[in-house]
Amino acid sequence: MCGITGWIDFDRDLGKERAVVSAMTETLAPRGPDAKGLWMGRHAGLGHRRLAVIDPAGGRQPMEADGAVLTYSGEVYNFRELRSQLELKGHRFRTRSDTEVVLRGYLEWGDRVAERLNGMYAFAVWDTRTEELLLVRDRMGVKPLFYCQLPDEGLVFGSEPKAVLAHPRTPRAVDADALREIFTIVQTPERSLYKDLHEVRPGQVVRFGRRGLIKRRYWTLEAREHTDDLDTTIATVRGLLEDIVERQLVADVPVCSLLSGGLDSSAITALAVQHGDLRSFAVDFDGHADHFEDDGMRGSADGPYVQDVVRHLGPAHTDIVLGTAGLAAASLRQSVVRAWEYPQFSGDMNTSLQLLFQAIREHSTVALSGESADEVFGGYAWFHLPEAVNAATFPWLVVMMRHQRPDDLFDPALRRQLDVLSYESDRYREALAEVPHVPGADVRERRMREISYLHLTRFVTMLLDRKDRLSMAHGLEVRVPFCDHRLVEYVFNTPWAMKTFDGREKSLLRAAVRDMLPRSVLDRRKSPYPATQDPAYSLALRSALADLMADATAPVLPLLDQQAVKTLLATPPTATSTTLTRISLEMVLDLNTWLQSQDLRVDL
């Protein structure tokens, strides 16, 4: 895994702009702590920060061959097969890296190399022969890639917005649509939170040259008739998972698994331990199991299930136990917002994840995650709640906005101007218009296909972004086996009746790994990533909000409903609080931190 950036400009000699490209590259140092590289040409400058995972000695970047220069982030899991194909076509390799396979794949197949890659990746190729830039992002959007067209004939790009914003001619501003994105959970494809900054869409190729910018989708979810019976479907899922995990264990550095005691992470851990010794890590909070209460989303604490898995599978396991009061610390919130560059309301789920990754990086460089299984197999509660399934909006909003909305503490005039509900409705209709359907499917099947599509193209991207930013802030590469496009395509086209054949969520996954896991995990109800219930955390948030209100320089202050904030602070806190009852408070704190740390102006 790595960080990439660059600048293309046909109106100036970029050979004289090394300092600018170097500064852009340096913003990505946490993503690539092992090495830094620059390549400077007349109209292009490319930067790279490297986290050495495969072929540490040979995979240095930017990498150049036969007129093409590559800066690459990610892992291609079928690089050995592709290398063999390229060798048969006459290519000779200098390294053992997947980087060189991608570069020579471009030389052989052009931008069609993207269709041949299996993995998570974001890369840029500058072709000196045609003076064209190619930007490519993996199918599911596991690895990020942003770009901004400059007012003249230029373009800058980077793995993270901070690399693009480091260029002196990119705007540092937030507009109304950015605030609309922030106050919703819709994650509109290609839309970033920064004015004039765009994200390469998952499964997209972007070309930029003297004639302008051209986009091409090389992958989308397609509707196909599912002809396998249930037993064959379960066996196919198992076979795919075994192949995927085996491929994703390839590394020249230590690999571990993230273990929560849920079905998803336990399945990945079980599949991984078949191939040798494995470390596993879990997060927990002081006293969490002793004082746990069902919060409507989490019906059980993780700890006992983690221990069942450890006893059953035998990985070398470590619990990372966190003190909950410290999760609200301003310095920790600032580090999370700087890393993710996204103000969110999930609060301690983000700060605890940041601390978890920091601790894991002391032992491992690569971690396998169970992320995305819920989107692929239909695991979330709202897949199964009639009021969510039948709602004329994104189904997760029905549950996640049940108690509060992120903009509840903001000025009523601003809320009327933004009209977030209309924005959600518009984005929802756009997403539904994309959904592919199998002819003749009944109403129920069509609706559940729509809901699956919404999760695989909208909801999951937010979670993948969070995991990427917070892990790479510590130079930890997190791999997500459930995002393998072969598995996603196969399960997407499996009828909903099969996905719930045992009357529960994630029926196919449970059946596929039933022989590998303890009964307690197989019987456990879906429980999201843990969140603290310690009242000390909620009190710390209120104290931080009171301090913010007393700071006349706080950038978020002009956007707030002052009376609503005062009413909240005067209301006695409940004995326990949950993620869903802290939404509005967390949003104010995060948004202020984001605007302040990024030195952003608000253009409304």
Side-chain angles (χ1 to χ4, degrees):
M1 204 60 57
C2 305
I4 67 173
T5 191
W7 177 14
I8 309 300
D9 200 314
F10 297 110
D11 283 348
R12 65 182 66 209
D13 182 358
L14 294 189
K16 302 176 182 179
E17 303 286 354
R18 187 179 186 88
V20 173
V21 179
S22 179
M24 294 166 60
T25 305
E26 201 57 34
T27 65
L28 302 171
R31 296 186 73 91
D34 297 328
K36 175 182 178 179
L38 297 178
W39 182 93
M40 303 301 299
R42 181 170 179 78
H43 295 303
L46 304 182
H48 188 267
R49 290 293 317 203
R50 188 180 185 210
L51 176 65
V53 172
I54 295 176
D55 191 10
R60 295 184 179 88
Q61 298 184 52
M63 186 177 286
E64 185 175 8
D66 300 333
V69 188
L70 171 71
T71 183
Y72 161 78
S73 169
E75 305 293 345
V76 170
Y77 304 122
N78 64 335
F79 76 98
R80 290 170 173 164
E81 297 97 311
L82 293 175
R83 179 181 176 124
S84 296
Q85 295 173 26
L86 290 164
E87 286 175 334
L88 290 174
K89 292 178 177 292
H91 290 267
R92 296 293 174 261
F93 288 81
R94 304 188 307 272
T95 74
R96 296 185 296 107
S97 68
D98 58 334
T99 303
E100 189 176 7
V101 171
V102 174
L103 176 57
R104 294 199 168 275
Y106 169 78
L107 291 169
E108 181 65 34
W109 298 303
D111 70 5
R112 295 290 174 181
V113 66
E115 283 92 326
R116 297 173 180 264
L117 304 179
N118 177 312
M120 55 178 191
Y121 47 83
F123 62 87
V125 177
W126 172 248
D127 196 319
T128 63
R129 302 163 300 181
T130 61
E131 291 198 319
E132 275 193 322
L133 175 73
L134 177 71
L135 300 175
V136 181
R137 192 174 180 202
D138 67 69
R139 293 169 179 83
M140 289 294 289
V142 181
K143 292 293 105 185
L145 189 53
F146 297 85
Y147 66 93
C148 177
Q149 286 187 262
L150 300 175
D152 49 22
E153 295 297 316
L155 179 145
V156 289
F157 68 88
S159 292
E160 297 177 4
K162 58 175 66 73
V164 179
L165 295 176
H167 190 281
R169 301 216 310 279
T170 54
R172 304 186 72 89
V174 178
D175 60 15
D177 273 350
L179 289 181
R180 292 182 179 107
E181 283 284 314
I182 290 167
F183 291 150
T184 63
I185 315 175
V186 299
Q187 201 82 355
T188 306
E190 301 188 54
R191 182 74 169 86
S192 86
L193 301 186
Y194 300 83
K195 189 174 183 179
D196 298 332
L197 183 64
H198 306 280
E199 193 167 14
V200 178
R201 185 169 184 162
Q204 187 178 65
V205 168
V206 175
R207 280 191 170 277
F208 179 74
R210 293 182 182 273
R211 292 178 293 179
L213 187 141
I214 301 172
K215 304 174 187 178
R216 177 177 74 85
R217 297 287 299 281
Y218 71 88
W219 183 83
T220 59
L221 285 166
E222 297 177 353
R224 300 169 188 159
E225 195 74 42
H226 186 82
T227 57
D228 292 343
D229 61 19
L230 180 59
D231 289 342
T232 303
T233 300
I234 294 169
T236 300
V237 169
R238 173 64 172 264
L240 283 168
L241 287 172
E242 288 180 339
D243 179 70
I244 291 164
V245 171
E246 183 177 9
R247 288 176 181 273
Q248 296 197 18
L249 285 168
V250 174
D252 295 326
V253 293
V255 179
C256 69
S257 74
L258 307 178
L259 180 61
S260 71
L263 177 62
D264 314 337
S265 64
S266 301
I268 296 301
T269 302
L271 290 159
V273 296
Q274 295 182 123
H275 300 281
D277 295 338
L278 182 77
R279 293 199 68 154
S280 61
F281 294 88
V283 67
D284 203 354
F285 307 107
D286 281 335
H288 188 61
D290 296 335
H291 305 289
F292 181 86
E293 294 182 17
D294 187 334
D295 66 4
M297 293 182 66
R298 299 167 184 86
S300 55
D302 286 350
Y305 297 93
V306 169
Q307 294 309 311
D308 285 352
V309 175
V310 171
R311 284 191 293 269
H312 191 78
L313 299 176
H317 182 74
T318 302
D319 285 319
I320 309 299
V321 181
L322 306 175
T324 55
L327 294 173
S331 59
L332 184 55
R333 183 179 296 276
Q334 288 164 5
S335 70
V336 168
V337 172
R338 279 197 303 271
W340 193 0
E341 299 178 272
Y342 193 104
Q344 254 294 335
F345 52 76
S346 40
D348 69 292
M349 294 171 65
N350 299 334
T351 51
S352 67
L353 202 57
Q354 173 95 318
L355 294 173
L356 173 66
F357 290 148
Q358 182 179 3
I360 291 173
R361 186 60 176 90
E362 296 178 7
H363 308 280
S364 297
T365 308
V366 173
L368 300 184
S369 167
E371 195 79 84
S372 306
D374 289 303
E375 290 80 6
V376 174
F377 290 98
Y380 293 116
W382 45 81
F383 273 92
H384 311 276
L385 293 173
E387 63 267 34
V389 170
N390 298 325
T393 188
F394 297 97
W396 53 86
L397 297 181
V398 175
V399 174
M400 300 183 77
M401 305 298 187
R402 181 174 288 164
H403 303 286
Q404 297 178 8
R405 291 193 60 89
D407 59 347
D408 280 353
L409 295 177
F410 287 80
D411 181 69
L414 173 63
R415 295 171 68 186
R416 287 192 296 271
Q417 177 186 350
L418 297 178
D419 192 8
V420 168
L421 293 180
S422 292
Y423 185 79
E424 287 175 359
S425 180
D426 291 343
R427 302 293 80 76
Y428 175 68
R429 288 195 299 271
E430 288 174 0
L432 284 189
E434 299 173 2
V435 181
H437 287 285
V438 174
D442 62 29
V443 172
R444 172 70 169 170
E445 181 62 30
R446 285 179 62 87
R447 181 54 180 162
M448 297 315 298
R449 180 180 288 269
E450 289 173 347
I451 290 177
S452 295
Y453 185 91
L454 296 176
H455 281 81
L456 292 169
T457 61
R458 299 320 193 260
F459 192 76
V460 76
T461 54
M462 180 187 69
L463 303 183
L464 293 174
D465 285 350
R466 177 178 67 179
K467 190 145 284 183
D468 171 84
R469 304 303 194 283
L470 301 188
S471 61
M472 292 304 291
H474 301 287
L476 176 70
E477 174 181 301
V478 175
R479 298 177 177 179
V480 278
F482 289 114
C483 278
D484 186 291
H485 70 278
R486 298 169 299 161
L487 179 69
V488 173
E489 290 171 350
Y490 185 78
V491 179
F492 176 68
N493 283 297
T494 302
W496 184 249
M498 279 193 183
K499 293 178 186 177
T500 55
F501 75 87
D502 63 359
R504 298 193 57 192
E505 81 283 356
K506 292 186 285 195
S507 305
L508 288 178
L509 177 59
R510 184 177 294 101
V513 297
R514 182 173 295 279
D515 62 316
M516 309 181 77
L517 298 178
R519 184 58 184 256
S520 61
V521 172
L522 292 169
D523 290 343
R524 188 186 185 192
R525 179 165 63 90
K526 161 69 186 174
S527 184
Y529 182 81
T532 182
Q533 298 178 342
D534 190 337
Y537 178 77
S538 183
L539 290 172
L541 293 181
R542 286 167 170 260
S543 176
L545 180 59
D547 290 343
L548 184 154
M549 296 300 292
D551 180 5
T553 67
V556 78
L557 207 57
L559 306 178
L560 297 181
D561 181 341
Q562 306 274 337
Q563 187 55 51
V565 174
K566 290 177 182 176
T567 299
L568 171 67
L569 292 175
T571 304
T574 55
T576 60
S577 67
T578 69
T579 305
L580 297 185
T581 61
R582 299 191 291 255
I583 284 176
S584 58
L585 200 163
E586 299 266 26
M587 176 54 72
V588 171
L589 297 175
D590 264 14
L591 184 57
N592 188 71
T593 300
W594 182 59
L595 294 172
Q596 200 166 51
S597 64
Q598 298 282 25
D599 190 25
L600 297 168
R601 71 177 189 272
V602 180
D603 290 344
L604 296 177

